[in-house]
Amino acid sequence: MKDRIVKEVKKTRAILYCRSAKGDNSELQEQKEVLDNYAKANGLAVVRTYIESGTMGALTYHNLRLQARYHEFDELLITELAVLGNSSIEITEEISFLVASGVKVLSLKDGELNVETLPNLFRKYF
């Protein structure tokens, strides 16, 4: 037994982020369900789920950034780009910070989000 090497499989840790600008509870539940299903299907370990109405709350914003800075998760899952903010500047700043902290930002609708992919997506949305 001592000669056997056991390879531990490290699961990717993810945070699910759901936000409805209109405060629509059914929309929030739908987002959560879709993200949960994606995480399960892809073997991700969900460490936290944020559910918010309106604009991104200061406490969530601060907590998310701290968790990224201390490498408490590997991926941020969202349903679409618009969930992260209301302006291209706000979204770009958030994604830049997360990616610089080693976090992969994945939108189920738009794919992986980073500084290179954002310009085309902004043209599409705005």
Side-chain angles (χ1 to χ4, degrees):
M1 184 84 78
K2 68 180 179 178
D3 296 330
R4 295 179 83 191
I5 297 174
V6 178
K7 186 176 180 181
E8 185 177 323
V9 178
K10 183 182 174 190
K11 277 190 160 188
T12 300
R13 301 163 300 160
I15 285 184
L16 311 181
Y17 181 69
C18 310
R19 183 175 73 89
S20 170
K22 303 172 206 156
D24 184 351
N25 284 335
S26 62
E27 180 185 350
L28 289 169
Q29 283 306 111
E30 184 179 312
Q31 285 181 35
K32 183 181 181 315
E33 186 176 320
V34 169
L35 293 174
D36 276 334
N37 290 339
Y38 179 89
K40 285 177 188 165
N42 289 281
L44 303 175
V46 176
V47 295
R48 188 159 193 183
T49 301
Y50 288 102
I51 299 176
E52 292 189 314
S53 295
T55 60
M56 186 180 226
L59 184 59
T60 299
Y61 180 79
H62 185 69
N63 284 342
L64 192 62
R65 282 184 164 229
L66 280 175
Q67 286 181 285
R69 183 174 291 141
Y70 291 110
H71 307 289
E72 293 179 12
F73 65 106
D74 307 301
E75 286 187 19
L76 177 69
L77 292 180
I78 57 174
T79 54
E80 62 181 314
L81 179 68
V83 169
L84 283 179
N86 297 321
S87 74
S88 57
I89 293 170
E90 186 178 53
I91 293 168
T92 302
E93 184 178 295
E94 192 60 31
I95 289 174
S96 295
F97 177 84
L98 292 168
V99 170
S101 298
V103 174
K104 178 180 174 181
V105 182
L106 183 65
S107 162
L108 300 187
K109 181 179 178 183
D110 306 306
E112 185 171 349
L113 304 175
N114 55 48
V115 180
E116 290 81 31
T117 62
L118 286 177
N120 287 334
L121 290 170
F122 288 145
R123 280 194 226 34
K124 181 177 151 184
Y125 283 108
F126 301 111

